[in-house]
Amino acid sequence: MMNSSKPILRVQDVTKRFGGLVALRKVSLDIFGGEKVAIIGPNGSGKTTLFNVINGVYIPDEGRIFYEDNDITHKPPNERARMGIARAFQIPRPFPGATVRENVAIGALFGRFGHKISLEEALRIADEKLKLVGLYDKRDELAAKLTGPERKMLEFARALAMSPKLLLLDEIMAGMPPGKVDQIVDLIKEISEKEGIAVAVMVEHVIRAVIRYAERVYVLDRGEIVLSGSVDEVMRSPKLREIYLGTRFREV
Amino acid sequence: MGLREVLIKHLTLIILIVIYVILWLLREVFPEYSQLIITLLYYITIAQAYNIFLGMTGYVDFGYVSYFGLGLYGMAVAITLSSSSNMSEYIAILLGILLALALANTVAGVVGAIALRLRGAYFAIATIGLSQALRYLIEGAKIWGGAEGVIIASDLRKIFGEERFSYATITLPDTGIFILTVISGLVMYVVRNSRLGYGLLAIREDEDVARVMGISTTLYKFIAFLISASLTSLVGSMWALKITAIYPPESFNIAFSVEFIVIVMLGGAGTVLGPLLGGSLYALSKYYLGTILPGLQLTIFSVLLLVIVLVFRQGIVGELRSLLYRYSFIREVIR
């Protein structure tokens, strides 16, 4: 375990509104170095907005975001990426007209060590990450030709190529066949433990997977953190059943 | 890496340069086609220069002719100045090149710094007025001779001497254009296979994701824009020596921008070989259509643009590459 005592990411009282809709209301959370956190919540609870605020796609209306003790609230996404925040989108967005290999190489070229990495090295890193996620055989295909699950794995590889310290995975397991979900969970555990990457995964449906990999859980509901703690605490909480599982996952 | 590997790795570039050199040599063999070949090289070069911006970023610039026009004026103004202050021919040409670059980069710098913050269609709209604005600025404020234009034939005679006038208006600019053809091909090839090229590729494919992945998108677009404008202004500076009379309406005609959008799209936006094919095809068909169906060539090209956009979105090189994608050798070469 490479958990450090200081949070790598601190989200402090963040509020984000879209017109009259409050997408996030006074959300605070900490993620420690090397930690594996799950952020769960039903559809529309503000999970993706939270990621967008963390990586700079949105600027919050209120509150602050600290990354390694720096206030990054107003930093643009490209600077945050170079500081070590990488993200895989809920709906995968590979560069369709680039090859699979080029997609991942771009991650290496512009990620945390991007400025030190030559094109040859970036392509080598791309091959390595593609082997990891099982897409090496398709490296010369255009990304547009990949299937849905393959695109998810490509995004994952691309994010890994950026050598992040904090990896944000938005619904990476959704729509994946069950066998693949276990494989992804193992992969997340492996890279997190081997390279000390803090991983935050957004999950809507695959609760079983959360139990397997996460050390801590935050529950987001209608833009607010309503529950947080260790997996055991959260999963056993009657409140969770009430607000989340109670209505949607009675049988789980 | 052995010589063979290096050759194979850079085969695309080698093919490109070899074809350029063949075109140049054909000019010696068939002097009657000499000006057609130079016109061909002129189209290929500006298309390649534009390709570095339009093809690599996907941003359409309707003001693109402005950088060519500023190149024309840069050289013309330098020749006028040199003639009146009795400078040598080398200094005059060098001054013209530098002035062309300075003017184009100043305008491109201002336009880029403002308009490149805009996305796709908004950028295109923002650039539409640029060439017209420059034209009316020159005419209205009577800069550089205003609507009267700048006529440099007599100045060139004075600087180069009567006996070297044809050198100044044919040999020198033709050679200059050939050199620029090679340079623009080389620059495109190097950019495409560099960090800058990968960044631009990401921007073209999905600019939001490119930013999330750490790319300074505005800066990258800006660099590509300046490279592109610089090369085009250099072609303009050489072209000024050929036409020897520069007028605002011809120098800043938006139809010229559209023409080059068609060429880049026809050849295959963002491909190294695209401008060669697109430029040659366009220049040849324009030349022959102009004699067979004068006045109708633009109508035909507008239909052509429609067909490209609707059916062959990747252009000749792009479509060919897709078609033959399973052959790894061809995939490596046709790009």
Side-chain angles (χ1 to χ4, degrees):
Chain A
M1 240 0 96
M2 293 186 61
N3 290 6
S4 56
S5 55
K6 251 196 325 200
I8 184 166
L9 180 82
R10 165 159 283 176
V11 177
Q12 209 170 63
D13 295 326
V14 161
T15 298
K16 178 69 192 170
R17 298 184 199 88
F18 296 102
L21 176 84
V22 183
L24 295 174
R25 192 192 306 271
K26 294 236 168 265
V27 168
S28 294
L29 61 86
D30 287 337
I31 296 173
F32 293 87
E35 193 183 26
K36 295 178 285 293
V37 173
I39 300 164
I40 66 174
N43 194 13
S45 58
K47 298 191 303 292
T48 298
T49 307
L50 178 59
F51 269 7
N52 278 332
V53 167
I54 293 173
N55 84 336
V57 174
Y58 298 144
I59 305 292
D61 296 308
E62 286 162 37
R64 314 215 67 83
I65 297 159
F66 297 92
Y67 175 76
E68 294 189 313
D69 292 335
N70 300 307
D71 186 344
I72 58 162
T73 315
H74 296 282
K75 280 218 187 306
N78 51 324
E79 281 182 39
R80 298 188 201 201
R82 283 198 291 266
M83 293 171 89
I85 302 179
R87 166 170 185 187
F89 289 88
Q90 178 176 11
I91 298 158
R93 290 168 75 174
F95 302 121
T99 65
V100 168
R101 194 171 183 230
E102 283 170 339
N103 261 277
V104 184
I106 289 168
L109 276 176
F110 297 98
R112 188 154 63 97
F113 301 121
H115 55 286
K116 291 185 211 155
I117 289 174
S118 70
L119 194 58
E120 282 70 31
E121 266 177 282
L123 290 167
R124 192 188 50 73
I125 292 170
D127 288 346
E128 181 189 303
K129 303 301 175 194
L130 285 170
K131 278 178 192 154
L132 201 63
V133 301
L135 279 178
Y136 183 72
D137 293 340
K138 304 219 166 186
R139 64 186 192 144
D140 286 325
E141 299 271 344
L142 290 180
K145 299 257 192 271
L146 297 186
T147 64
E150 282 171 348
R151 285 174 194 216
K152 288 222 161 188
M153 294 324 285
L154 173 57
E155 278 228 341
F156 187 39
R158 195 169 68 173
L160 286 180
M162 294 170 72
S163 330
K165 285 188 192 170
L166 174 62
L167 182 56
L168 308 171
L169 302 173
D170 200 346
E171 294 286 2
I172 184 127
M173 296 158 221
M176 288 294 206
K180 197 79 191 168
V181 170
D182 289 339
Q183 204 186 323
I184 296 170
V185 169
D186 291 340
L187 205 55
I188 292 172
K189 280 169 92 166
E190 189 192 318
I191 57 126
S192 172
E193 271 150 40
K194 209 164 71 187
E195 299 175 37
I197 303 172
V199 186
V201 184
M202 294 284 181
V203 188
E204 186 183 333
H205 297 297
V206 195
I207 304 298
R208 191 174 61 92
V210 175
I211 303 170
R212 276 202 50 210
Y213 96 92
E215 294 160 345
R216 238 152 31 86
V217 181
Y218 286 96
V219 182
L220 202 60
D221 188 33
R222 276 168 283 182
E224 288 180 76
I225 299 278
V226 289
L227 205 57
S228 65
S230 71
V231 178
D232 279 0
E233 283 163 17
V234 170
M235 289 300 163
R236 286 194 186 125
S237 162
K239 203 175 167 195
L240 182 73
R241 291 176 182 283
E242 214 176 278
I243 57 164
Y244 187 80
L245 300 179
T247 54
R248 296 173 62 106
F249 293 90
R250 207 180 300 269
E251 304 307 320
V252 173
Chain B
M1 204 162 24
L3 180 67
R4 193 164 169 271
E5 279 84 8
V6 173
L7 287 180
I8 289 174
K9 192 173 171 223
H10 299 294
L11 198 54
T12 314
L13 180 67
I14 293 165
I15 290 172
L16 193 74
I17 303 295
V18 166
I19 294 176
Y20 288 165
V21 172
I22 290 173
L23 277 173
W24 179 247
L25 294 178
L26 279 177
R27 180 181 155 281
E28 307 286 329
V29 183
F30 304 103
E32 67 271 29
Y33 289 113
S34 162
Q35 285 319 297
L36 176 64
I37 289 169
I38 292 303
T39 310
L40 221 65
L41 292 179
Y42 153 88
Y43 275 108
I44 292 168
T45 310
I46 299 182
Q48 190 66 281
Y50 197 10
N51 193 27
I52 294 167
F53 178 69
L54 177 138
M56 295 295 288
T57 66
Y59 275 66
V60 175
D61 177 9
F62 282 105
Y64 197 66
V65 60
S66 309
Y67 309 110
F68 177 75
L70 289 167
L72 289 175
Y73 269 99
M75 180 58 82
V77 169
I79 294 295
T80 318
L81 284 175
S82 307
S83 154
S84 57
S85 50
N86 291 314
M87 279 191 242
S88 78
E89 51 186 70
Y90 298 108
I91 302 283
I93 298 299
L94 187 67
L95 198 65
I97 289 172
L98 292 178
L99 197 55
L101 282 174
L103 287 170
N105 276 286
T106 307
V107 174
V110 173
V111 170
I114 300 165
L116 282 174
R117 293 170 192 280
L118 303 170
R119 290 289 170 89
Y122 298 98
F123 173 82
I125 292 164
T127 57
I128 277 182
L130 178 68
S131 52
Q132 290 301 88
L134 285 172
R135 176 192 159 179
Y136 290 117
L137 178 71
I138 292 169
E139 289 183 357
K142 300 208 165 35
I143 307 164
W144 301 329
E148 312 279 300
V150 185
I151 322 277
I152 55 171
S154 59
D155 295 317
L156 285 173
R157 281 205 170 81
K158 191 176 160 200
I159 296 169
F160 284 84
E162 185 60 48
E163 67 284 3
R164 276 166 62 79
F165 182 68
S166 77
Y167 168 80
T169 57
I170 299 170
T171 319
L172 176 68
D174 287 3
T175 314
I177 286 165
F178 171 68
I179 292 170
L180 287 171
T181 313
V182 174
I183 290 177
S184 65
L186 207 63
V187 170
M188 174 64 193
Y189 185 79
V190 170
V191 166
R192 178 65 188 84
N193 297 296
S194 69
R195 175 186 303 272
L196 174 63
Y198 275 72
L200 295 173
L201 174 66
I203 290 168
R204 185 184 74 192
E205 295 296 320
D206 193 330
E207 191 163 346
D208 291 318
V209 175
R211 256 166 81 75
V212 167
M213 292 188 65
I215 298 167
S216 313
T217 51
T218 307
L219 177 68
Y220 272 60
K221 288 184 284 181
F222 193 70
I223 294 171
F225 194 52
L226 290 190
I227 294 175
S228 184
S230 299
L231 286 169
T232 300
S233 74
L234 290 176
V235 180
S237 75
M238 289 298 122
W239 205 250
L241 297 171
K242 286 182 77 66
I243 57 177
T244 69
I246 287 91
Y247 301 104
E250 287 82 9
S251 308
F252 298 101
N253 183 356
I254 195 167
F256 180 96
S257 296
V258 178
E259 208 172 29
F260 279 96
I261 294 168
V262 176
I263 296 175
V264 173
M265 303 281 288
L266 174 68
T271 62
V272 174
L273 298 175
L276 168 64
L277 290 170
S280 311
L281 212 65
Y282 184 88
L284 287 174
S285 41
K286 190 180 173 182
Y287 183 78
Y288 287 110
L289 284 175
T291 48
I292 304 163
L293 298 163
L296 268 180
Q297 68 266 41
L298 279 180
T299 318
I300 292 168
F301 286 129
S302 61
V303 174
L304 183 66
L305 183 60
L306 219 62
V307 173
I308 299 167
V309 171
L310 290 176
V311 191
F312 304 108
R313 300 193 67 167
Q314 305 183 70
I316 300 170
V317 175
E319 295 292 341
L320 216 58
R321 185 175 155 80
S322 294
L323 205 65
L324 302 169
Y325 202 78
R326 60 184 174 279
Y327 308 106
S328 71
F329 178 74
I330 289 173
R331 184 166 68 216
E332 289 300 315
V333 176
I334 300 178
R335 54 193 171 139

